[in-house]
Amino acid sequence: DTAVSQTPKYLVTQMGNDKSIKCEQNLGHDTMYWYKQDSKKFLKIMFSYNNKELIINETVPNRFSPKSPDKAHLNLHINSLELGDSAVYFCASSHSQGRGNGYTFGSGTRLTVV
Amino acid sequence: AQTVTQSQPEMSVQEAETVTLSCTYDTSENNYYLFWYKQPPSRQMILVIRQEAYKQQNATENRFSVNFQKAAKSFSLKISDSQLGDTAMYFCAFMKRLNTGNQFYFGTGTSLTVIP
């Protein structure tokens, strides 16, 4: 009964490949997010998405694209992977209304591009 | 734009002692939320404590408490009776509400080591 689940937990792939990371939440949240955590542990927002709007961080390369088949899922597709894409990617979700309980995070996906 | 500053990249504390992690932020918002998240070596991001800006009372969760100074835009985390399991990266975060979801701003983190 994991609240926010990401798969896979580890992903090793070669440069130039296309890969996807899946995220599912069962909390009934209406907004989902993708974050990138670099080697210095800095967390950088990539996307936020709810049923109203997709907000893209303008610094994210267009090789990255979120896909949301429904409100409980927000998958991350990455085309033409580069060495610099190696990082830990976190999915998170939250309510856009309510008590401001903050994010619930997935356990992260460590992506290594070789 | 909002910024969150954690000025202590690394800290250490003896087991059973008390440690305080500092966090300052900059915002023109009046209504917002503040959080501390913990990231142990397992990598999972765990919510430690939250504070609503309109509440003057400092939040407390067991051994964790905050010192929220709204005028000074300061939000420090105090860990009492430190335990080995507290060893982790700690992130301070500022959140404001938007119609399209919550917008978070994270600090750069403080790596805390609890020494046996």
Side-chain angles (χ1 to χ4, degrees):
Chain A
D1 58 346
T2 305
V4 180
S5 62
Q6 288 180 235
T7 53
K9 292 192 186 307
Y10 299 93
L11 181 56
V12 180
T13 188
Q14 289 186 324
M15 284 176 56
N17 284 350
D18 303 338
K19 289 294 179 184
S20 295
I21 305 172
K22 295 185 177 180
C23 179
E24 175 182 6
Q25 55 97 3
N26 62 5
L27 298 167
H29 288 165
D30 60 0
T31 309
M32 297 182 72
Y33 311 81
W34 277 103
Y35 275 81
K36 178 181 180 180
Q37 187 175 42
D38 61 23
S39 58
K40 295 183 178 179
K41 302 291 188 181
F42 184 65
L43 284 156
K44 177 183 171 182
I45 181 74
M46 301 178 72
F47 305 100
S48 66
Y49 183 80
N50 67 9
N51 57 1
K52 298 176 186 175
E53 191 171 351
L54 171 66
I55 301 174
I56 302 171
N57 184 325
E58 61 187 14
T59 66
V60 175
N62 58 14
R63 298 181 294 103
F64 291 78
S65 58
K67 300 246 189 297
S68 181
D70 55 55
K71 287 168 63 172
H73 296 82
L74 184 66
N75 303 325
L76 181 65
H77 295 268
I78 316 170
N79 294 326
S80 302
L81 278 155
E82 300 177 357
L83 293 177
D85 298 333
S86 295
V88 178
Y89 292 84
F90 283 97
C91 177
S93 69
S94 72
H95 275 300
S96 61
Q97 305 298 323
R99 295 181 59 242
N101 287 329
Y103 286 174
T104 300
F105 282 89
S107 57
T109 296
R110 180 176 294 280
L111 171 66
T112 303
V113 182
V114 298
Chain B
Q2 278 66 222
T3 58
V4 179
T5 302
Q6 294 179 248
S7 59
Q8 305 151 314
E10 295 181 352
M11 294 189 72
S12 60
V13 61
Q14 289 291 140
E15 193 175 5
E17 297 295 308
T18 296
V19 64
T20 299
L21 281 58
S22 66
C23 174
T24 58
Y25 57 95
D26 186 23
T27 184
S28 58
E29 304 281 333
N30 191 48
N31 191 20
Y32 51 88
Y33 300 83
L34 295 163
F35 301 84
W36 279 96
Y37 279 88
K38 167 185 176 181
Q39 187 179 35
S42 67
R43 181 174 90 208
Q44 179 72 50
M45 291 285 286
I46 302 165
L47 176 63
V48 175
I49 199 165
R50 64 187 283 274
Q51 174 80 42
E52 295 157 347
Y54 62 86
K55 288 189 176 179
Q56 292 185 335
Q57 186 174 4
N58 289 324
T60 300
E61 288 287 344
N62 301 314
R63 298 182 295 107
F64 298 88
S65 61
V66 298
N67 183 2
F68 173 47
Q69 302 290 327
K70 190 172 183 179
K73 296 178 183 175
S74 171
F75 183 61
S76 60
L77 174 70
K78 185 172 84 170
I79 306 174
S80 303
D81 185 25
S82 298
Q83 300 176 359
L84 296 179
D86 295 334
T87 292
M89 195 78 170
Y90 287 82
F91 292 96
C92 178
F94 169 100
M95 184 187 89
K96 67 176 183 180
R97 303 287 289 273
L98 302 173
N99 289 334
T100 52
N102 301 321
Q103 190 160 25
F104 262 66
Y105 300 85
F106 284 93
T108 50
T110 296
S111 178
L112 176 68
T113 301
V114 179
I115 302 167

